[in-house]
């Protein structure tokens, strides 16, 4: 029954004291303001103000409505500003799900630039999921998911953030260090150091060893990338990383980088998001910055 404009009218009347000055403040004619006052009083069935000469004095009911206006109008004003900022991509929260260690490393390399471009966007990064990252996306626990796996779902879209080659890393004096390209037979005699993920999500298995009906001699799961690289340097095993990540982490260890297969083993990094959210300006900007960062870091 009480509208936004009614609250503004009673606040203007109290602040300006006369009908003429209140009308000027509201950019209305005096007759138009008088009509709205009469309409509001008739609608509410109660008198809100009384005349004292040229001035207006609020009644008890008018004073109550003024108190409401003073509480509600600032909240509405802030909400309008925030909603306008949301529509322009200037303010909001982006909850980012990260489903693999290389995903987190990739995010680390671009998130600073994104936050500089959109300083009013708050960032929340989720690495641990009670279920899968995709379920977290579908259940609205996160807004976007960085993942190497494209799993088709009815309400989910995928954007390619980066394309890269996976490489094998071995110590400089490892027996594999001098080969030009890795074969499944080579790896079947080695200890493979991996992150603690399900085996069906390891591309080196699903796209390289399994088609050849082979497996590593041993698979050892390591939580820490730094420890994995140290173990590789000490010939405790070999590991597979994205080429760009290997270049970043291999500055001091002098590990040998080996191509996997004759043509190499390539992978894509995706951003999964709910279809209705695809047009959100700050999500679009996240995609742009991510793709640009990947392009600039490509060899």
């Amino acid at each position: 029954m009480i509208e936004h404009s009614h609250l503004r009218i009673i606040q203007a009347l109290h602040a300006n004291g006369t009908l003429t000055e209140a009308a000027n403040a509201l950019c209305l004619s005096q007759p138009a303001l008088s009509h709205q006052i009469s309409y509001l009083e008739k609608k509410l069935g109660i008198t809100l103000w009384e005349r004292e000469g040229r001035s207006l004095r609020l009644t008890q009911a008018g004073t109550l409505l003024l108190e409401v206006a003073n509480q509600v109008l600032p909240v509405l004003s802030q909400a309008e500003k925030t909603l306008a900022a949301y529509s322009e991509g200037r303010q909001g929260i982006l909850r980012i799900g990260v489903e693999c260690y290389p995903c987190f490393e990739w995010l680390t390399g671009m998130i600073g630039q994104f936050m500089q471009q959109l300083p009013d966007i708050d960032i929340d990064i989720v690495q641990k999921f009670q279920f899968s990252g995709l379920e977290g996306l579908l259940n609205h626990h996160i807004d976007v998911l960085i993942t190497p796996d494209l799993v088709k779902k009815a309400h989910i879209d995928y954007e390619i953030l980066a394309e890269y080659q996976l490489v094998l890393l071995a110590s400089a004096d490892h027996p594999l260090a001098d080969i030009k390209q890795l074969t499944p037979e080579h790896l079947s005699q080695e200890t493979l150091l991996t992150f603690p993920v399900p085996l069906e999500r390891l591309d080196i298995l699903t796209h390289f060893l399994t088609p050849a009906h082979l497996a590593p001699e041993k698979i050892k799961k390591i939580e820490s990338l730094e420890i994995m690289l140290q173990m590789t340097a000490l010939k405790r095993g070999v590991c597979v990383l994205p080429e760009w990540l290997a270049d970043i982490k291999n500055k001091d260890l002098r590990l040998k980088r080996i191509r996997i297969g004759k043509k190499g083993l390539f992978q894509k990094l995706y951003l999964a998001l709910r279809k209705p959210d695809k047009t959100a300006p700050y999500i679009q900007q996240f995609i742009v910055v991510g793709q640009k960062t990947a392009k600039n870091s490509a060899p």
Side-chain angles (χ1 to χ4, degrees):
M1 184 180 292
I2 300 173
E3 299 177 5
H4 185 186
S5 60
H6 299 153
L7 297 178
R8 292 183 64 238
I9 286 172
I10 200 162
Q11 199 176 56
L13 285 168
H14 176 71
N16 294 280
T18 68
L19 195 64
T20 300
E21 292 176 358
N24 291 334
L26 294 169
C27 299
L28 294 173
S29 67
Q30 186 173 325
L33 181 56
S34 295
H35 175 75
Q36 289 196 33
I37 291 171
S38 298
Y39 172 78
L40 178 57
E41 287 184 324
K42 183 178 180 180
K43 193 173 184 180
L44 294 175
I46 194 169
T47 300
L48 297 174
W49 40 74
E50 298 172 342
R51 287 186 178 273
E52 289 185 347
R54 296 181 58 190
S55 300
L56 295 173
R57 181 180 63 83
L58 290 173
T59 64
Q60 184 177 5
T63 301
L64 173 62
L65 197 58
L66 176 63
E67 292 174 357
V68 173
N70 290 338
Q71 294 178 31
V72 172
L73 287 177
V75 175
L76 287 175
S77 177
Q78 183 58 43
E80 288 170 351
K81 291 177 182 178
T82 302
L83 289 172
Y86 282 167
S87 70
E88 297 168 10
R90 293 186 288 107
Q91 183 173 343
I93 181 168
L94 181 61
R95 298 166 299 172
I96 306 169
V98 184
E99 210 169 32
C100 63
Y101 190 97
C103 299
F104 182 80
E105 288 289 334
W106 176 89
L107 179 64
T108 301
M110 63 79 65
I111 197 64
Q113 184 179 349
F114 174 74
M115 290 191 292
Q116 285 181 348
Q117 293 187 15
L118 297 177
D120 293 328
I121 296 292
D122 194 13
I123 299 295
D124 189 12
I125 299 173
V126 181
Q127 289 182 264
K128 302 293 185 181
F129 298 99
Q130 185 175 358
F131 302 105
S132 71
L134 196 58
E135 288 176 350
L137 185 62
L138 289 168
N139 293 332
H140 292 260
H141 294 152
I142 56 175
D143 300 307
V144 294
L145 176 67
I146 303 172
T147 177
D149 302 319
L150 193 157
V151 181
K152 292 184 178 180
K153 294 285 185 180
H155 303 292
I156 299 297
D157 270 350
Y158 288 85
E159 291 284 341
I160 297 174
L161 294 173
E163 299 185 53
Y164 53 87
Q165 182 176 190
L166 293 169
V167 295
L168 184 82
L169 293 180
S171 67
D173 57 349
H174 192 281
L176 295 179
D178 295 327
I179 66 172
K180 293 183 177 181
Q181 65 187 47
L182 186 74
T183 67
E185 288 74 19
H186 286 137
L187 200 52
S188 67
Q189 303 173 37
E190 301 295 332
T191 295
L192 178 64
L193 307 174
T194 76
F195 297 109
V197 299
L199 297 182
E200 62 269 18
R201 297 189 62 186
L202 291 175
D203 289 332
I204 190 65
L205 298 184
T206 58
H207 297 299
F208 189 65
L209 286 173
T210 302
H213 305 288
L214 293 172
E217 184 175 281
K218 184 179 180 182
I219 295 177
K220 189 174 183 63
K221 296 182 179 181
I222 308 292
E223 285 275 358
S224 166
L225 174 59
E226 283 67 28
I227 293 177
M228 184 188 300
L229 292 172
Q230 290 288 344
M231 292 180 67
T232 301
L234 294 170
K235 293 194 293 185
R236 300 292 184 92
V238 294
C239 65
V240 175
L241 291 180
E243 187 175 30
W244 58 267
L245 182 55
D247 290 341
I248 293 172
K249 296 295 184 179
N250 194 26
K251 293 179 180 178
D252 300 323
L253 294 174
R254 298 187 303 110
L255 299 176
K256 190 66 180 291
R257 192 175 67 186
I258 303 163
R259 187 173 68 219
I260 300 172
K262 185 176 181 180
K263 297 182 179 180
L265 182 59
F266 292 86
Q267 177 60 286
K268 295 176 181 177
L269 193 64
Y270 298 97
L271 186 75
L273 65 161
R274 295 180 294 272
K275 288 184 178 181
D277 297 338
K278 194 171 182 179
T279 57
Y282 55 89
I283 291 181
Q284 290 181 336
Q285 188 63 19
F286 184 86
I287 295 170
V288 169
V289 173
Q291 292 174 338
K292 184 177 180 180
T293 301
K295 184 177 180 180
N296 291 341
S297 62

